[in-house]
Amino acid sequence: MLLRLVHLGITNAFPLLRLLPGGDRDKDIEILSLRHQLAVLHRRLDGQPVRFAPADRAWLAALLHPLPRPTLRRLRLLVRPDTVLK
């Protein structure tokens, strides 16, 4: 699991670095497109549970942990915010 978590950290660091020089407009467009893709995924799953690997859960929790709970509750996630914070 530790190796998988390190791999996720490294592979996700590059997309994060790519966002730094981008303007707010570019980031907003990317966020909106990701939200739309999540909406499509939610419709396709039709209530079926999504299975995350432990490393995926850890990465998601690390990314979302700094956000306040009200913000977390407004996000469109594949998991419930309380599950991420556990």
Side-chain angles (χ1 to χ4, degrees):
M1 181 174 130
L2 182 60
L3 184 59
R4 174 85 174 129
L5 186 58
V6 169
H7 177 264
L8 280 173
I10 291 171
T11 57
N12 287 316
F14 292 112
L16 289 173
L17 290 174
R18 186 180 57 84
L19 290 175
L20 290 178
D24 285 343
R25 180 178 170 271
D26 295 343
K27 291 176 189 175
D28 291 342
I29 290 170
E30 185 172 359
I31 289 169
L32 289 174
S33 67
L34 290 171
R35 285 182 183 172
H36 178 70
Q37 291 176 58
L38 274 175
V40 171
L41 183 60
H42 274 282
R43 286 196 303 264
R44 290 205 58 193
L45 289 173
D46 196 28
Q48 297 174 11
V50 177
R51 303 284 181 214
F52 284 93
D56 294 320
R57 286 189 209 116
W59 179 254
L60 192 58
L63 286 174
L64 297 175
H65 183 71
L67 295 176
R69 283 186 187 260
T71 302
L72 269 176
R73 293 188 197 292
R74 286 193 309 266
L75 293 179
R76 187 167 189 94
L77 300 170
L78 293 175
V79 296
R80 291 183 312 223
D82 293 333
T83 302
V84 171
L85 295 176
K86 282 184 185 178

